[in-house]
PDB file of all heavy atoms in Angstrom:
ATOM      1  N   ASN A  24      -6.210  24.795 -15.368  1.00  0.00           N
ATOM      2  CA  ASN A  24      -6.262  26.041 -14.611  1.00  0.00           C
ATOM      3  C   ASN A  24      -7.069  25.732 -13.365  1.00  0.00           C
ATOM      4  O   ASN A  24      -8.094  25.051 -13.447  1.00  0.00           O
ATOM      5  CB  ASN A  24      -6.936  27.145 -15.424  1.00  0.00           C
ATOM      6  CG  ASN A  24      -6.127  27.536 -16.634  1.00  0.00           C
ATOM      7  OD1 ASN A  24      -4.975  27.916 -16.519  1.00  0.00           O
ATOM      8  ND2 ASN A  24      -6.722  27.418 -17.805  1.00  0.00           N
ATOM      9  N   VAL A  25      -6.622  26.222 -12.203  1.00  0.00           N
ATOM     10  CA  VAL A  25      -7.217  25.770 -10.941  1.00  0.00           C
ATOM     11  C   VAL A  25      -7.742  26.913 -10.089  1.00  0.00           C
ATOM     12  O   VAL A  25      -7.043  27.899  -9.845  1.00  0.00           O
ATOM     13  CB  VAL A  25      -6.192  24.962 -10.116  1.00  0.00           C
ATOM     14  CG1 VAL A  25      -6.798  24.490  -8.808  1.00  0.00           C
ATOM     15  CG2 VAL A  25      -5.670  23.777 -10.921  1.00  0.00           C
ATOM     16  N   VAL A  26      -8.990  26.727  -9.641  1.00  0.00           N
ATOM     17  CA  VAL A  26      -9.584  27.577  -8.623  1.00  0.00           C
ATOM     18  C   VAL A  26      -9.590  26.763  -7.340  1.00  0.00           C
ATOM     19  O   VAL A  26     -10.108  25.645  -7.318  1.00  0.00           O
ATOM     20  CB  VAL A  26     -11.039  27.977  -8.964  1.00  0.00           C
ATOM     21  CG1 VAL A  26     -11.621  28.857  -7.869  1.00  0.00           C
ATOM     22  CG2 VAL A  26     -11.124  28.648 -10.320  1.00  0.00           C
ATOM     23  N   SER A  27      -9.006  27.309  -6.273  1.00  0.00           N
ATOM     24  CA  SER A  27      -9.004  26.638  -4.969  1.00  0.00           C
ATOM     25  C   SER A  27      -9.983  27.333  -4.053  1.00  0.00           C
ATOM     26  O   SER A  27      -9.960  28.560  -3.935  1.00  0.00           O
ATOM     27  CB  SER A  27      -7.604  26.678  -4.349  1.00  0.00           C
ATOM     28  OG  SER A  27      -6.719  25.896  -5.109  1.00  0.00           O
ATOM     29  N   VAL A  28     -10.833  26.546  -3.403  1.00  0.00           N
ATOM     30  CA  VAL A  28     -11.853  27.092  -2.513  1.00  0.00           C
ATOM     31  C   VAL A  28     -11.699  26.464  -1.136  1.00  0.00           C
ATOM     32  O   VAL A  28     -11.607  25.238  -1.008  1.00  0.00           O
ATOM     33  CB  VAL A  28     -13.279  26.808  -3.049  1.00  0.00           C
ATOM     34  CG1 VAL A  28     -14.329  27.393  -2.113  1.00  0.00           C
ATOM     35  CG2 VAL A  28     -13.441  27.355  -4.467  1.00  0.00           C
ATOM     36  N   ASP A  29     -11.659  27.312  -0.117  1.00  0.00           N
ATOM     37  CA  ASP A  29     -11.614  26.848   1.265  1.00  0.00           C
ATOM     38  C   ASP A  29     -12.172  27.967   2.131  1.00  0.00           C
ATOM     39  O   ASP A  29     -12.473  29.057   1.628  1.00  0.00           O
ATOM     40  CB  ASP A  29     -10.183  26.488   1.691  1.00  0.00           C
ATOM     41  CG  ASP A  29     -10.150  25.481   2.839  1.00  0.00           C
ATOM     42  OD1 ASP A  29     -10.488  25.852   3.984  1.00  0.00           O
ATOM     43  OD2 ASP A  29      -9.802  24.308   2.583  1.00  0.00           O
ATOM     44  N   ILE A  30     -12.310  27.707   3.425  1.00  0.00           N
ATOM     45  CA  ILE A  30     -12.799  28.745   4.339  1.00  0.00           C
ATOM     46  C   ILE A  30     -11.699  29.234   5.271  1.00  0.00           C
ATOM     47  O   ILE A  30     -11.947  30.070   6.134  1.00  0.00           O
ATOM     48  CB  ILE A  30     -14.020  28.262   5.151  1.00  0.00           C
ATOM     49  CG1 ILE A  30     -13.680  27.013   5.951  1.00  0.00           C
ATOM     50  CG2 ILE A  30     -15.206  28.006   4.235  1.00  0.00           C
ATOM     51  CD1 ILE A  30     -14.763  26.590   6.937  1.00  0.00           C
ATOM     52  N   ALA A  31     -10.490  28.735   5.093  1.00  0.00           N
ATOM     53  CA  ALA A  31      -9.358  29.122   5.938  1.00  0.00           C
ATOM     54  C   ALA A  31      -8.305  29.834   5.087  1.00  0.00           C
ATOM     55  O   ALA A  31      -7.800  29.265   4.116  1.00  0.00           O
ATOM     56  CB  ALA A  31      -8.758  27.902   6.611  1.00  0.00           C
ATOM     57  N   ASP A  32      -7.974  31.062   5.479  1.00  0.00           N
ATOM     58  CA  ASP A  32      -6.991  31.836   4.718  1.00  0.00           C
ATOM     59  C   ASP A  32      -5.633  31.152   4.650  1.00  0.00           C
ATOM     60  O   ASP A  32      -4.960  31.219   3.620  1.00  0.00           O
ATOM     61  CB  ASP A  32      -6.842  33.245   5.311  1.00  0.00           C
ATOM     62  CG  ASP A  32      -8.031  34.132   5.005  1.00  0.00           C
ATOM     63  OD1 ASP A  32      -8.700  33.921   3.968  1.00  0.00           O
ATOM     64  OD2 ASP A  32      -8.307  35.062   5.796  1.00  0.00           O
ATOM     65  N   GLU A  33      -5.218  30.454   5.731  1.00  0.00           N
ATOM     66  CA  GLU A  33      -3.908  29.794   5.700  1.00  0.00           C
ATOM     67  C   GLU A  33      -3.885  28.660   4.673  1.00  0.00           C
ATOM     68  O   GLU A  33      -2.857  28.407   4.035  1.00  0.00           O
ATOM     69  CB  GLU A  33      -3.475  29.299   7.085  1.00  0.00           C
ATOM     70  CG  GLU A  33      -4.357  28.254   7.719  1.00  0.00           C
ATOM     71  CD  GLU A  33      -5.533  28.806   8.536  1.00  0.00           C
ATOM     72  OE1 GLU A  33      -5.803  30.022   8.514  1.00  0.00           O
ATOM     73  OE2 GLU A  33      -6.211  27.998   9.185  1.00  0.00           O
ATOM     74  N   LYS A  34      -5.006  28.003   4.452  1.00  0.00           N
ATOM     75  CA  LYS A  34      -5.060  26.953   3.432  1.00  0.00           C
ATOM     76  C   LYS A  34      -5.058  27.565   2.034  1.00  0.00           C
ATOM     77  O   LYS A  34      -4.488  27.004   1.101  1.00  0.00           O
ATOM     78  CB  LYS A  34      -6.267  26.056   3.649  1.00  0.00           C
ATOM     79  CG  LYS A  34      -6.106  25.222   4.905  1.00  0.00           C
ATOM     80  CD  LYS A  34      -7.188  24.213   5.070  1.00  0.00           C
ATOM     81  CE  LYS A  34      -6.929  23.437   6.360  1.00  0.00           C
ATOM     82  NZ  LYS A  34      -7.817  22.326   6.524  1.00  0.00           N
ATOM     83  N   LEU A  35      -5.661  28.728   1.898  1.00  0.00           N
ATOM     84  CA  LEU A  35      -5.636  29.415   0.601  1.00  0.00           C
ATOM     85  C   LEU A  35      -4.244  29.952   0.298  1.00  0.00           C
ATOM     86  O   LEU A  35      -3.835  29.992  -0.866  1.00  0.00           O
ATOM     87  CB  LEU A  35      -6.697  30.509   0.569  1.00  0.00           C
ATOM     88  CG  LEU A  35      -8.133  29.974   0.647  1.00  0.00           C
ATOM     89  CD1 LEU A  35      -9.125  31.111   0.799  1.00  0.00           C
ATOM     90  CD2 LEU A  35      -8.460  29.122  -0.575  1.00  0.00           C
ATOM     91  N   GLU A  36      -3.503  30.344   1.335  1.00  0.00           N
ATOM     92  CA  GLU A  36      -2.103  30.746   1.129  1.00  0.00           C
ATOM     93  C   GLU A  36      -1.286  29.559   0.642  1.00  0.00           C
ATOM     94  O   GLU A  36      -0.461  29.692  -0.261  1.00  0.00           O
ATOM     95  CB  GLU A  36      -1.501  31.323   2.422  1.00  0.00           C
ATOM     96  CG  GLU A  36      -1.954  32.730   2.725  1.00  0.00           C
ATOM     97  CD  GLU A  36      -1.630  33.720   1.606  1.00  0.00           C
ATOM     98  OE1 GLU A  36      -0.505  33.697   1.067  1.00  0.00           O
ATOM     99  OE2 GLU A  36      -2.532  34.514   1.257  1.00  0.00           O
ATOM    100  N   LEU A  37      -1.522  28.392   1.231  1.00  0.00           N
ATOM    101  CA  LEU A  37      -0.852  27.175   0.760  1.00  0.00           C
ATOM    102  C   LEU A  37      -1.226  26.911  -0.691  1.00  0.00           C
ATOM    103  O   LEU A  37      -0.362  26.589  -1.515  1.00  0.00           O
ATOM    104  CB  LEU A  37      -1.237  25.981   1.639  1.00  0.00           C
ATOM    105  CG  LEU A  37      -0.730  24.609   1.176  1.00  0.00           C
ATOM    106  CD1 LEU A  37       0.799  24.562   1.149  1.00  0.00           C
ATOM    107  CD2 LEU A  37      -1.290  23.501   2.067  1.00  0.00           C
ATOM    108  N   ALA A  38      -2.491  27.081  -1.025  1.00  0.00           N
ATOM    109  CA  ALA A  38      -2.947  26.858  -2.403  1.00  0.00           C
ATOM    110  C   ALA A  38      -2.218  27.778  -3.380  1.00  0.00           C
ATOM    111  O   ALA A  38      -1.809  27.343  -4.462  1.00  0.00           O
ATOM    112  CB  ALA A  38      -4.463  27.062  -2.500  1.00  0.00           C
ATOM    113  N   LYS A  39      -2.033  29.029  -2.998  1.00  0.00           N
ATOM    114  CA  LYS A  39      -1.293  29.968  -3.865  1.00  0.00           C
ATOM    115  C   LYS A  39       0.139  29.486  -4.068  1.00  0.00           C
ATOM    116  O   LYS A  39       0.654  29.505  -5.190  1.00  0.00           O
ATOM    117  CB  LYS A  39      -1.285  31.367  -3.253  1.00  0.00           C
ATOM    118  CG  LYS A  39      -2.606  32.079  -3.332  1.00  0.00           C
ATOM    119  CD  LYS A  39      -2.528  33.440  -2.651  1.00  0.00           C
ATOM    120  CE  LYS A  39      -3.904  34.067  -2.545  1.00  0.00           C
ATOM    121  NZ  LYS A  39      -3.892  35.315  -1.767  1.00  0.00           N
ATOM    122  N   LYS A  40       0.775  29.041  -2.991  1.00  0.00           N
ATOM    123  CA  LYS A  40       2.150  28.543  -3.088  1.00  0.00           C
ATOM    124  C   LYS A  40       2.242  27.311  -3.984  1.00  0.00           C
ATOM    125  O   LYS A  40       3.263  27.083  -4.629  1.00  0.00           O
ATOM    126  CB  LYS A  40       2.698  28.210  -1.700  1.00  0.00           C
ATOM    127  CG  LYS A  40       2.977  29.415  -0.839  1.00  0.00           C
ATOM    128  CD  LYS A  40       3.460  29.004   0.539  1.00  0.00           C
ATOM    129  CE  LYS A  40       3.577  30.233   1.439  1.00  0.00           C
ATOM    130  NZ  LYS A  40       3.859  29.879   2.829  1.00  0.00           N
ATOM    131  N   LEU A  41       1.171  26.530  -4.010  1.00  0.00           N
ATOM    132  CA  LEU A  41       1.165  25.308  -4.819  1.00  0.00           C
ATOM    133  C   LEU A  41       0.725  25.548  -6.260  1.00  0.00           C
ATOM    134  O   LEU A  41       0.653  24.616  -7.046  1.00  0.00           O
ATOM    135  CB  LEU A  41       0.265  24.254  -4.162  1.00  0.00           C
ATOM    136  CG  LEU A  41       0.739  23.748  -2.795  1.00  0.00           C
ATOM    137  CD1 LEU A  41      -0.291  22.816  -2.185  1.00  0.00           C
ATOM    138  CD2 LEU A  41       2.096  23.070  -2.904  1.00  0.00           C
ATOM    139  N   GLY A  42       0.412  26.811  -6.599  1.00  0.00           N
ATOM    140  CA  GLY A  42       0.129  27.131  -7.992  1.00  0.00           C
ATOM    141  C   GLY A  42      -1.303  27.441  -8.358  1.00  0.00           C
ATOM    142  O   GLY A  42      -1.622  27.560  -9.548  1.00  0.00           O
ATOM    143  N   ALA A  43      -2.206  27.575  -7.375  1.00  0.00           N
ATOM    144  CA  ALA A  43      -3.597  27.901  -7.706  1.00  0.00           C
ATOM    145  C   ALA A  43      -3.654  29.204  -8.500  1.00  0.00           C
ATOM    146  O   ALA A  43      -2.973  30.172  -8.174  1.00  0.00           O
ATOM    147  CB  ALA A  43      -4.435  28.032  -6.435  1.00  0.00           C
ATOM    148  N   ASP A  44      -4.454  29.218  -9.541  1.00  0.00           N
ATOM    149  CA  ASP A  44      -4.614  30.413 -10.365  1.00  0.00           C
ATOM    150  C   ASP A  44      -5.540  31.426  -9.693  1.00  0.00           C
ATOM    151  O   ASP A  44      -5.348  32.629  -9.826  1.00  0.00           O
ATOM    152  CB  ASP A  44      -5.165  30.020 -11.744  1.00  0.00           C
ATOM    153  CG  ASP A  44      -4.206  29.096 -12.474  1.00  0.00           C
ATOM    154  OD1 ASP A  44      -3.169  29.585 -12.946  1.00  0.00           O
ATOM    155  OD2 ASP A  44      -4.479  27.883 -12.550  1.00  0.00           O
ATOM    156  N   ILE A  45      -6.539  30.918  -8.999  1.00  0.00           N
ATOM    157  CA  ILE A  45      -7.498  31.753  -8.273  1.00  0.00           C
ATOM    158  C   ILE A  45      -7.774  31.071  -6.936  1.00  0.00           C
ATOM    159  O   ILE A  45      -7.904  29.848  -6.879  1.00  0.00           O
ATOM    160  CB  ILE A  45      -8.829  31.891  -9.056  1.00  0.00           C
ATOM    161  CG1 ILE A  45      -8.596  32.571 -10.407  1.00  0.00           C
ATOM    162  CG2 ILE A  45      -9.880  32.647  -8.238  1.00  0.00           C
ATOM    163  CD1 ILE A  45      -9.823  32.555 -11.319  1.00  0.00           C
ATOM    164  N   THR A  46      -7.858  31.855  -5.868  1.00  0.00           N
ATOM    165  CA  THR A  46      -8.261  31.317  -4.569  1.00  0.00           C
ATOM    166  C   THR A  46      -9.484  32.086  -4.088  1.00  0.00           C
ATOM    167  O   THR A  46      -9.582  33.298  -4.284  1.00  0.00           O
ATOM    168  CB  THR A  46      -7.135  31.427  -3.515  1.00  0.00           C
ATOM    169  OG1 THR A  46      -6.755  32.791  -3.370  1.00  0.00           O
ATOM    170  CG2 THR A  46      -5.925  30.600  -3.910  1.00  0.00           C
ATOM    171  N   ILE A  47     -10.404  31.363  -3.472  1.00  0.00           N
ATOM    172  CA  ILE A  47     -11.642  31.972  -2.992  1.00  0.00           C
ATOM    173  C   ILE A  47     -11.935  31.468  -1.583  1.00  0.00           C
ATOM    174  O   ILE A  47     -11.952  30.260  -1.348  1.00  0.00           O
ATOM    175  CB  ILE A  47     -12.835  31.626  -3.919  1.00  0.00           C
ATOM    176  CG1 ILE A  47     -12.571  32.151  -5.334  1.00  0.00           C
ATOM    177  CG2 ILE A  47     -14.142  32.184  -3.354  1.00  0.00           C
ATOM    178  CD1 ILE A  47     -13.576  31.683  -6.372  1.00  0.00           C
TER     179      ILE A  47
END
């Protein structure tokens, strides 16, 4: 299960597309 953390919303959108369970 993956939490993705970044400071850029566009990178967090990519993380969601790649399957991140939670983005912060």
Side-chain angles (χ1 to χ4, degrees):
N24 294 303
V25 180
V26 180
S27 293
V28 180
D29 205 288
I30 58 171
D32 287 332
E33 62 273 9
K34 291 187 180 188
L35 295 172
E36 284 302 315
L37 174 62
K39 287 178 189 174
K40 289 178 187 172
L41 295 175
D44 298 286
I45 298 171
T46 58
I47 300 171

